[in-house]
Amino acid sequence: MTIQETLPVPGKSRAGSVPTHCPYCALQCAMSLTPTMGAVTPATVVGREFPTNRGALCQKGWTAADLLEHPSRLTSPLVREVRGDRTSRFVPASWQTALDEIAEGLLRTQQQHGRDAVAVFGGGGLTNEKAYALGKFARVALGTSQIDYNGRFCMSSAAAASNAALGLDRGMPFPLTDVQGAGTVVLVGSNIAETMPPALQHFEIMRAAGGRLIVIDPRVTRTALNADLHLQPVPGTDMALALGLLHIICAQGAVDEEFIASRTAGYAQVRAAAQAYRPDHVERLTGVPSSLLHRAATWMAEQSPHRHGRGTMILTGRGGEQHANGTSTVHAFINIALALGLPGGRNSGYGCLTGQGNGQGGREHGQKADQLPGYRMITDPAARAHVAKVWGIDPEDLPGPGRSAFELLDALGQRGGPRAMLLMGSNPVVSSPSAARISDRIASLDFLYVADFFLSETAALADVVLPVTQWAEETGTMTNLEGRVLLRQQAMVPPPGVRSDLEVLSGLAARLGQGQRFPAHAFPSDPQQVFDELRRASEGGRADYSSITYARIQDEGGVIWGGERMFVDSFPTADGRARFVPTVFTGVTEPTDSHYPLTLTTGRILAQYQSGTQTRRVESLVQAAGQPFVELHPDVAADLGIGSEDRARVTTRRGSVVVEARLSGAIRADTIFMPFHWAGEGRANTLTSDALDPTSRMPEFKACAARIELEVAKS
Ligand code: SF4
């Protein structure tokens, strides 16, 4: 009997609940899914006890099963009625026709314009198996260097800084439960009360035991309301704030001299650079009173391990990272962590709160333009030789590094850029900065092929759309924000007409003459075999999964790669020491001026997720948060004659959008905020800047100059 035959079929049968994990964010909350029973009882989920979520789910998690049998679910491949005319309507097609058409388009493009004329774009929500397979497909079946993924927009600055300073990028190098025992936790630009509410439990336990939470955020978010100290800097000045904190810590003589001497390099230069950031100067740069800076620095120092405190943690999120100086900003916070001797200490250290469901695993196994599986660099000859051997090809045949995500999207259809693209698990028409331009670039491609389970705004521009399985209909592993590799088991048979991404890649590889290199992906695919190949490809790499098996994950409830707590004795650098990296505050790329006097910052809200392809289709989430808005301070609104719920026009150098105005004293008067989950006239990313961090190539989503005016008063 095959696994398909043992599984409950939607609308026909029922089995007991299946242990699984949420399809959304990097907390990967554990849940139990009860599949569909009969035609009237839909699939349901309940939270399951697990170290990260302790049985709780957020609104998105509770409603995750609503999408499994959603009426707008794609269940047949779609092709254009008039081939080559994207204004013609989609018509259903067989899988054979659709895959033939895609393979023909890819081959023709490469024959006419070269291998790099085809781009591949992935997503941070894809399982490890799919992320691995997509990277292999790009490099082996297509031979293109042009692959990257939307995770580049998520945490690439923290990854770049962690690699350079600590020798490794693993979001949190300690379990989330360690938060409970800490004495001081600093959250930099992370609103976990809305983005991952179940995680708040750990912070509440920490505070109930006398620990203190410091939140650094320009907005008085729900997380900031729960904090013992809220520092509210001008958007884009987090690095100056970090330099000010280090200045105070050095001036107080609170650094861990022994740790610095025995386990780090480069402190003297960083200390010298921090001298210039006196608290009064930092107050002028950031707007944060120097008295609060002193209080934060004191709390951080007194709880650090060398002072026999309970532990100090610094956790960064997108607020600090999504800037053109994001990598340097993270370095500035890691420098504080090193000065206080936090890494490897009890309930202490630096970590990044990864956002997307498989943001961690997705960047470890080959979707990124410069990486091969196991977090190996594609420019490293030894790495190329190892991976090429696993893939059965000559290392010489492996392409080199390609363009980063935004640069890749911006090159589409342009002279020297890709002319065709295969896209999985991403919706850049909504999620990319300068989205109007990127939308035009995507539309200018000769061929666009998209695999998704709904007709996203990007899929709507495609030549061919392939309907693929959702989380509960396929087996695969995800790596959560702690580096914990989890198994999401197949719980339901997918609707007829739907295939997994692995099967899509196999079908295409066969048509490109490379089917023999993708045997485990063939219909029906075997994700476990793909994972076993990933294990071999990652062996010896920085993210080594070779000892992790499906059986171990099931037995142990997840396996944290590299060990639970890292950096206890040494760092994985050439000499075992961490690196202080000097930073100089540079400010935002686009300062305000008389035409654009406000700073626009963007982010997520509780009831929606990323580009909204899924959550905008869940009725209860739409009722909770159904439309885009701009949040502004009541004083600014009064000056501009904008009232609550009026329609307001927000304009930046990239364009303008019209959305509902919401007045809130929780935001700085010099700042406005928009969530980025919507398309069309409420698309926040129409406005955002495409300035890129020079190291991570992360776009500056979190700050650009804007103006706001009344469009239509509420009737
Ligand atoms: Fe899902 Fe994240 Fe919500 Fe947990 S916090 S239920 S993983 S969206």
Side-chain angles (χ1 to χ4, degrees):
M1 187 176 278
T2 67
I3 187 170
Q4 306 282 324
E5 288 164 328
T6 65
L7 288 166
V9 176
K12 287 193 180 158
S13 61
R14 176 186 173 83
S17 65
V18 179
T20 184
H21 293 268
C22 177
Y24 296 117
C25 85
L27 195 59
Q28 282 296 291
C29 294
M31 53 171 59
S32 298
L33 183 141
T34 303
T36 306
M37 183 175 68
V40 289
T41 308
T44 55
V45 296
V46 292
R48 182 165 60 86
E49 195 56 37
F50 203 69
T52 51
N53 64 311
R54 296 165 50 92
L57 300 174
C58 78
Q59 236 173 328
K60 297 183 288 286
W62 298 328
T63 55
D66 291 13
L67 294 173
L68 292 168
E69 294 169 296
H70 194 277
S72 63
R73 179 86 189 269
L74 299 174
T75 54
S76 168
L78 300 173
V79 299
R80 294 289 177 182
E81 188 172 38
V82 180
R83 303 295 202 269
D85 177 3
R86 292 204 200 112
T87 62
S88 72
R89 65 188 184 111
F90 280 121
V91 292
S94 69
W95 271 94
Q96 175 144 341
T97 299
L99 291 174
D100 284 352
E101 199 159 308
I102 296 174
E104 191 191 318
L106 297 175
L107 276 171
R108 192 168 358 130
T109 302
Q110 290 195 313
Q111 279 161 2
Q112 291 175 357
H113 304 287
R115 288 193 171 273
D116 280 356
V118 170
V120 174
F121 203 86
L126 299 177
T127 62
N128 288 318
E129 291 79 356
K130 292 179 185 182
Y132 167 79
L134 194 63
K136 178 182 171 185
F137 178 82
R139 274 85 179 218
V140 175
L142 292 170
T144 180
S145 68
Q146 300 298 296
I147 174 170
D148 213 69
Y149 80 127
N150 63 19
R152 180 78 70 170
F153 298 160
C154 184
M155 34 30 63
S156 54
S157 289
S162 295
N163 277 324
L166 309 174
L168 192 78
D169 156 34
R170 204 190 70 187
M172 293 180 75
F174 39 76
L176 186 59
T177 46
D178 278 9
V179 167
Q180 297 176 15
T184 299
V185 178
V186 185
L187 274 179
V188 185
S190 175
N191 182 13
I192 53 168
E194 295 213 43
T195 55
M196 45 180 72
L200 262 191
Q201 298 173 88
H202 304 285
F203 295 81
E204 283 163 4
I205 292 169
M206 181 265 297
R207 291 185 67 216
R212 288 162 169 152
L213 175 62
I214 302 171
V215 168
I216 299 174
D217 199 307
R219 299 168 60 223
V220 187
T221 60
R222 292 186 202 185
T223 311
L225 286 171
N226 278 302
D228 298 278
L229 177 61
H230 177 205
L231 308 181
Q232 199 174 0
V234 175
T237 62
D238 298 312
M239 195 205 311
L241 195 149
L243 284 158
L245 291 172
L246 183 61
H247 175 102
I248 296 168
I249 288 166
C250 292
Q252 289 178 342
V255 299
D256 184 344
E257 301 283 3
E258 192 183 324
F259 182 95
I260 291 169
S262 63
R263 300 200 51 196
T264 71
Y267 173 60
Q269 212 184 338
V270 163
R271 185 181 60 179
Q275 299 273 326
Y277 294 87
R278 296 182 320 276
D280 57 334
H281 176 48
V282 172
E283 178 173 334
R284 283 192 294 278
L285 291 173
T286 65
V288 175
S290 62
S291 59
L292 300 187
L293 285 172
H294 273 103
R295 193 182 306 167
T298 302
W299 288 0
M300 292 167 77
E302 69 187 15
Q303 292 298 331
S304 57
H306 74 292
R307 293 202 157 180
H308 309 293
R310 291 213 303 270
T312 296
M313 275 183 196
I314 303 172
L315 303 172
T316 60
R318 305 301 83 73
E321 299 163 11
Q322 287 179 323
H323 290 283
N325 63 12
T327 304
S328 292
T329 297
V330 175
H331 273 304
F333 282 101
I334 292 177
N335 288 341
I336 298 174
L338 295 174
L340 291 174
L342 306 184
R346 192 170 71 100
N347 302 322
S348 297
Y350 162 77
C352 148
L353 294 168
T354 297
Q356 292 196 78
N358 199 29
Q360 181 74 43
R363 67 188 186 257
E364 291 167 350
H365 299 298
Q367 281 187 98
K368 223 168 156 207
D370 52 356
Q371 286 179 9
L372 291 170
Y375 225 124
R376 289 181 156 91
M377 301 314 293
I378 203 166
T379 48
D380 173 5
R384 293 170 66 84
H386 174 85
V387 175
K389 191 172 171 196
V390 174
W391 288 349
I393 62 172
D394 188 324
E396 292 293 313
D397 293 337
L398 273 176
R403 295 177 171 94
S404 74
F406 182 80
E407 291 161 300
L408 176 59
L409 293 170
D410 202 26
L412 298 176
Q414 305 304 294
R415 191 182 175 84
R419 303 179 67 105
M421 179 162 73
L422 173 68
L423 182 140
M424 282 183 170
S426 191
N427 187 13
V429 164
V430 177
S431 62
S432 172
S434 299
R437 186 167 99 225
I438 293 306
S439 188
D440 288 346
R441 296 280 196 263
I442 292 172
S444 76
L445 284 166
D446 296 343
F447 301 109
L448 173 65
Y449 307 120
V450 174
D452 210 326
F453 24 84
F454 293 110
L455 194 66
S456 70
E457 287 74 15
T458 307
L461 298 178
D463 293 277
V464 180
V465 182
L466 299 174
V468 291
T469 45
Q470 291 194 56
W471 58 289
E473 301 158 352
E474 57 189 354
T475 293
T477 59
M478 305 282 281
T479 305
N480 80 352
L481 77 174
E482 311 163 289
R484 195 186 301 261
V485 186
L486 307 164
L487 187 62
R488 276 202 325 219
Q489 299 188 69
Q490 185 179 5
M492 293 170 66
V493 170
V498 165
R499 294 189 183 182
S500 91
D501 293 297
L502 293 178
E503 291 154 4
V504 167
L505 296 175
S506 161
L508 291 175
R511 286 164 174 80
L512 297 170
Q514 295 284 339
Q516 78 284 3
R517 302 203 194 282
F518 295 80
H521 310 55
F523 184 82
S525 61
D526 184 345
Q528 187 167 355
Q529 266 194 58
V530 178
F531 187 75
D532 287 342
E533 187 183 305
L534 176 160
R535 291 171 53 213
R536 292 199 303 280
S538 74
E539 188 170 7
R542 277 198 263 185
D544 184 340
Y545 279 37
S546 59
S547 67
I548 303 174
T549 62
Y550 274 25
R552 262 193 82 194
I553 300 172
Q554 279 175 306
D555 289 348
E556 298 172 31
V559 179
I560 298 186
W561 69 259
E564 279 211 331
R565 291 178 185 82
M566 301 187 131
F567 317 137
V568 174
D569 299 315
S570 70
F571 295 92
T573 54
D575 58 5
R577 288 172 176 263
R579 298 284 182 279
F580 281 94
V581 177
T583 62
V584 176
F585 175 60
T586 49
V588 296
T589 312
E590 201 175 83
T592 55
D593 57 25
S594 56
H595 296 292
Y596 301 100
L598 299 166
T599 298
L600 168 68
T601 190
T602 62
R604 283 167 54 188
I605 57 172
L606 174 61
Q608 293 291 333
Y609 183 68
Q610 304 299 64
S611 74
T613 303
Q614 297 163 85
T615 47
R616 281 187 275 126
R617 289 177 165 86
V618 178
E619 203 178 311
S620 59
L621 298 181
V622 170
Q623 277 169 13
Q627 61 168 320
F629 62 89
V630 59
E631 184 179 286
L632 72 163
H633 194 279
D635 292 349
V636 177
D639 284 350
L640 298 171
I642 299 173
S644 178
E645 298 181 36
D646 285 351
R647 306 289 295 170
R649 178 174 293 279
V650 184
T651 305
T652 69
R653 290 184 173 85
R654 269 76 46 199
S656 80
V657 301
V658 176
V659 290
E660 180 186 305
R662 296 192 185 168
L663 313 191
S664 168
I667 194 160
R668 294 177 57 94
D670 54 13
T671 304
I672 56 177
F673 167 79
M674 280 186 70
F676 54 65
H677 310 292
W678 284 273
E681 71 163 11
R683 182 174 61 185
N685 279 321
T686 299
L687 307 170
T688 48
S689 165
D690 58 15
L692 301 182
D693 181 284
T695 306
S696 68
R697 318 309 284 167
M698 162 79 87
E700 189 153 57
F701 286 104
K702 284 292 189 271
C704 66
R707 69 169 177 267
I708 183 166
E709 56 215 321
L710 177 66
E711 179 77 4
V712 184
K714 182 186 164 198
S715 54

